[in-house]
Amino acid sequence: MDVQPVFLWTDVLLFGLMACIGLAAWRARRSEPMRAAWRRVGESAVGMASLTVLLLFLVVGLLDSLHYRPYLPPAPDAKVTNGHGPVSTEVRSALDALAEPLRTRVEKTYSAPLAYALFAKQTIEKADGTQQRAFPRLKFGGAGLQYPEEDHAGDVLGRVGLGLALAAGAWCLLAGCLVQGVAMSRMVPFGAAWRAVWRGKGGLAWRAVLVTLGLVFLFAGPVAVLAGEYHVFGTDKVGQDVLFLTLKSIRTALVIGTLTTLVTLPVAVVLGIMAGYLGGWVDDLIQYVYTVLNSIPGVLLIAAAVLMMQVVIDTHPQWFETAAERADARLLALCLILGMTSWTGLCRLLRGETLKLRELEYVQAARAFGVSTARILGRHVLPNLMHLVLIALVMDFSGLVLAEAVLSYVGIGVDPGTVSFGTMINAARMELAREPMVWWSLMAAFLFMFVLVLAANLFADAVRDAFDPRAS
């Protein structure tokens, strides 16, 4: 199907940030201290396991960042330009295309996980004209079951078994490719490489990667097979598949957690180094600025900024061609606002470290020889602060993901049309008051967000242990 590519601001910035990370990794290979530090991260079983989980989340987020607008079929009497009909106003992503059954199979209202009938009873008119209260069959969930009362349990177990078998096959194939790569890099036979990897002597902690992938496949295999026939995590109030909504929420969390660094990093690094190295009135002014910001309650400051930005967006609808562009503008504004209110901690940390660095002998010698301030900061001060910057950014990621959830829960986060963990939790708030309780939307959002934040925290600990000189 012909489509028109769409480049949202957050898409461009996200892929640009990934390119910058790749360039920084390539440049880090030329530095022996950086290679040694990242080698320590790679030798950490916890670090490699958490990095594997984060990369899986990143793949889903990047697929959801490849946006396009499909062309609609032309009307019979309409003029066709370039062989295409009019372009749709709906913006989709590559993830939407891959998960097309999950996106399009919309039920009437709530249904429980793996159910074949609606969650609540409704009045049904029978063939003889009488009415009765019953649980109506779903249009898509379990639609292939001819006798659902008898066949449902067996069908679910059969699909779980098939999913486990496919997961085992995929894991064996991936493990074989990984071990073959280790064997080729170390010039050893395949069997010797397998034994070395499984004993934890394959260089990096490949055993932790394989174990992590095995656990992920044990969960993802049955879910993928069951999703072809059932709503694995149920449906929400308007009948949307909850599994699809949780997958869509991953991109929002990644955008909030990564793009905010584009604002935080330059401000914190520049002001922190200037305050610590120049001192005097510059130091006093910068300290005054971040002290004032820290004295204002963060939620109130963010709420005021978000509401003002929302007024600007509402009063200029001509800026946005589609609803997705409007929601993307609010998401980008939230990243900017979070970045402008979260740089103070890193700035204070860099200021304190710069105060110590400027008194060291090699910095004093450079100043005595007349080296310019800009060259001293770029060649001697900044490289010795990068481990602190890296540690702080990795550790702040999980905090930003949780911040989005809290802000969206109270109604000052992302646009209501943007799917996120916060909007899912906010929508599930009223569902918990139902009788019987609708719990699966909250459970799915909590599960995915918990795994993402836990992996980010564990990876941050591994990075801190590897890069912090005081930890060795």
Side-chain angles (χ1 to χ4, degrees):
M1 181 178 63
D2 293 328
V3 297
Q4 181 184 89
V6 175
F7 301 98
L8 302 178
W9 278 106
T10 53
D11 297 340
V12 176
L13 294 175
L14 185 60
F15 281 102
L17 183 60
M18 294 300 105
C20 292
I21 293 175
L23 179 61
W26 179 77
R27 291 179 60 89
R29 298 180 59 186
R30 302 165 54 185
S31 173
E32 180 57 34
M34 292 293 292
R35 288 203 308 269
W38 282 113
R39 193 178 302 115
R40 288 193 293 270
V41 175
E43 293 171 354
S44 169
V46 175
M48 290 295 286
S50 57
L51 179 60
T52 302
V53 175
L54 289 177
L55 289 178
L56 293 175
F57 276 100
L58 181 62
V59 169
V60 175
L62 293 180
L63 286 175
D64 201 20
S65 298
L66 298 172
H67 288 101
Y68 65 91
R69 293 169 61 184
Y71 285 101
L72 300 175
D77 56 347
K79 293 183 179 180
V80 178
T81 305
N82 298 326
H84 301 300
V87 66
S88 173
T89 57
E90 181 185 8
V91 178
R92 302 177 187 174
S93 67
L95 180 64
D96 295 335
L98 293 175
E100 184 73 12
L102 298 180
R103 186 182 68 87
T104 57
R105 294 186 309 175
V106 179
E107 305 291 350
K108 186 176 181 180
T109 183
Y110 296 112
S111 65
L114 301 178
Y116 58 85
L118 290 178
F119 184 64
K121 288 185 176 181
Q122 294 184 359
T123 301
I124 301 177
E125 185 173 350
K126 302 175 66 175
D128 57 1
T130 61
Q131 295 182 344
Q132 69 174 18
R133 298 283 294 176
F135 297 98
R137 286 288 302 274
L138 298 178
K139 292 188 297 183
F140 303 101
L145 300 177
Q146 187 174 2
Y147 302 102
E149 293 81 2
E150 295 82 8
D151 301 338
H152 178 253
D155 186 65
V156 170
L157 292 177
R159 291 177 182 274
V160 169
L162 177 60
L164 292 176
L166 294 176
W171 184 86
C172 291
L173 179 61
L174 189 59
C177 295
L178 190 151
V179 174
Q180 182 63 34
V182 173
M184 295 176 61
S185 63
R186 305 184 68 177
M187 302 294 183
V188 295
F190 182 86
W194 172 256
R195 289 191 295 270
V197 167
W198 197 248
R199 293 173 182 174
K201 299 179 181 180
L204 302 181
W206 295 119
R207 181 175 61 181
V209 174
L210 292 178
V211 172
T212 303
L213 289 176
L215 295 176
V216 172
F217 286 176
L218 286 178
F219 172 78
V223 167
V225 176
L226 287 169
E229 179 68 17
Y230 300 96
H231 301 288
V232 181
F233 289 158
T235 57
D236 62 1
K237 185 176 182 179
V238 295
Q240 291 181 299
D241 191 276
V242 174
L243 174 60
F244 178 69
L245 296 179
T246 54
L247 294 176
K248 295 286 289 184
S249 301
I250 293 175
R251 177 185 181 271
T252 305
L254 292 177
V255 168
I256 293 291
T258 56
L259 294 190
T260 305
T261 61
L262 294 178
V263 181
T264 301
L265 184 59
V267 177
V269 171
V270 172
L271 296 183
I273 293 178
M274 289 177 57
Y277 187 81
L278 299 179
W281 67 268
V282 176
D283 186 19
D284 294 337
L285 178 61
I286 294 175
Q287 286 190 74
Y288 178 80
V289 171
Y290 67 62
T291 302
V292 170
L293 283 177
N294 284 336
S295 65
I296 304 174
V299 175
L300 296 180
L301 184 60
I302 294 173
V306 168
L307 292 177
M308 288 189 295
M309 184 61 65
Q310 186 62 35
V311 170
V312 174
I313 294 175
D314 291 340
T315 54
H316 297 83
Q318 69 276 8
W319 291 354
F320 313 105
E321 187 175 355
T322 62
E325 294 178 358
R326 175 191 174 92
D328 184 74
R330 178 162 174 173
L331 178 60
L332 181 59
L334 182 60
C335 293
L336 295 175
I337 294 166
L338 286 174
M340 293 304 297
T341 56
S342 61
W343 60 270
T344 56
L346 180 58
C347 179
R348 182 186 291 109
L349 178 64
L350 296 180
R351 172 188 174 274
E353 193 68 18
T354 305
L355 287 174
K356 295 187 296 183
L357 290 176
R358 73 176 186 179
E359 303 299 332
L360 297 180
E361 289 81 1
Y362 61 88
V363 177
Q364 296 287 344
R367 296 174 63 180
F369 280 107
V371 179
S372 64
T373 300
R375 189 172 181 83
I376 293 175
L377 295 179
R379 295 292 299 273
H380 300 296
V381 177
L382 183 59
N384 289 285
L385 296 175
M386 289 310 297
H387 68 283
L388 295 176
V389 174
L390 182 61
I391 293 170
L393 293 181
V394 175
M395 296 186 70
D396 287 345
F397 174 84
S398 58
L400 292 170
V401 173
L402 294 175
E404 182 277 324
V406 173
L407 294 174
S408 297
Y409 176 76
V410 299
I412 56 174
V414 298
D415 188 84
T418 301
V419 184
S420 71
F421 294 125
T423 55
M424 290 185 65
I425 294 173
N426 186 30
R429 176 178 55 179
M430 300 303 297
E431 298 172 355
L432 297 177
R434 287 175 57 93
E435 182 60 38
M437 182 176 63
V438 178
W439 50 268
W440 45 86
S441 295
L442 180 63
M443 182 274 295
F446 171 79
L447 177 64
F448 276 69
M449 186 171 62
F450 171 77
V451 173
L452 176 59
V453 173
L454 178 62
N457 285 333
L458 293 177
F459 183 67
D461 291 341
V463 171
R464 180 189 61 195
D465 296 339
F467 280 82
D468 192 350
R470 292 170 295 183
S472 58

